[in-house]
Amino acid sequence: MRISWQEFYAGLGDCRACRLCERRTNIVPGEGDYSARLMLIGEGPGQEEDRQGRPFVGASGALLTRMLSAIDLSRDQVYICNVVKCRPPGNRTPTPDEAAACMGYLRQQFALVRPRVVVLLGKTAAVNVLHEEIFIGRDHGRWFDRKGVSFMPTYHPSALLRDPALKRAAWEDFQKVRAKLDEEEHADGRVQ
């Protein structure tokens, strides 16, 4: 049985499933178009995301917004969330236990949005969603098909801020995303 968004948020409530709840300011569930064809999944909230309760609103978020704009999409046309919904201390990588504690919420979001294309921003998102050993340097831009949904790992915007030389590869990956969305539009007869 499919749940509603209201049931999702009620179930998330004041989650205490892992220790990340101890230091959080806000749970950061996700935002965007609830019926988006494109879903973007990151690792976890950073300091600014924790403060505002919204995903990708700091420097990484500004870069992600520009990357979406470059493929003629706005943030309100996609759905953006993270593997974990609370900020890991010091913005460290979530532990496997922390990611597992949030995986049910991510599965619910996926079932509610029902995207056709999913961009996995960084290794943590890719490994936790695809359940494969992923190396972003090797696997970015590669499509993984799962039950009619196309998944692509790419560089996390924070990695691009640390190493601007990676931006070209990320740009090429996002061009592939645009092409995949266009292909889906033609197949469905819909326009994003």
Side-chain angles (χ1 to χ4, degrees), residues 39-188:
M39 182 178 215
L40 297 105
I41 303 173
E43 174 177 295
Q47 183 176 7
E48 191 59 25
E49 290 80 6
D50 180 51
R51 189 181 73 73
Q52 292 188 37
R54 297 180 56 219
F56 286 91
V57 293
S60 292
L63 179 55
L64 181 60
T65 299
R66 290 193 305 274
M67 293 166 72
L68 288 168
S69 180
I71 59 168
D72 299 320
L73 291 172
S74 64
R75 285 177 65 110
D76 62 355
Q77 292 177 289
V78 302
Y79 189 81
I80 304 172
C81 62
N82 286 298
V83 171
V84 297
K85 311 306 183 196
C86 298
R87 178 185 180 213
N91 293 346
R92 67 164 168 71
T93 301
T95 66
D97 288 350
E98 292 162 350
C102 275
M103 197 50 61
Y105 298 126
L106 184 58
R107 284 189 193 104
Q108 289 173 353
Q109 289 172 295
F110 185 84
L112 286 163
V113 174
R114 299 175 62 198
R116 300 295 299 271
V117 178
V118 179
V119 174
L120 303 165
L121 300 165
K123 180 176 180 165
T124 299
V127 168
N128 281 285
V129 171
L130 296 174
H131 304 289
E132 291 190 28
E133 188 59 39
I134 300 291
F135 298 96
I136 296 298
R138 176 191 72 196
D139 296 320
H140 76 89
R142 180 176 156 206
W143 290 109
F144 293 79
D145 293 319
R146 300 287 192 275
K147 299 181 182 179
V149 178
S150 300
F151 293 83
M152 179 197 285
T154 191
Y155 293 97
H156 192 285
S158 65
L160 304 178
L161 292 172
R162 286 190 304 272
D163 185 355
L166 299 174
K167 287 183 178 181
R168 181 174 181 83
W171 163 254
E172 291 169 359
D173 292 350
F174 268 70
Q175 292 301 305
K176 290 179 184 178
V177 170
R178 178 74 263 174
K180 180 66 79 171
L181 290 169
D182 290 345
E183 180 184 305
E184 293 284 334
E185 284 175 12
H186 288 37
D188 292 351

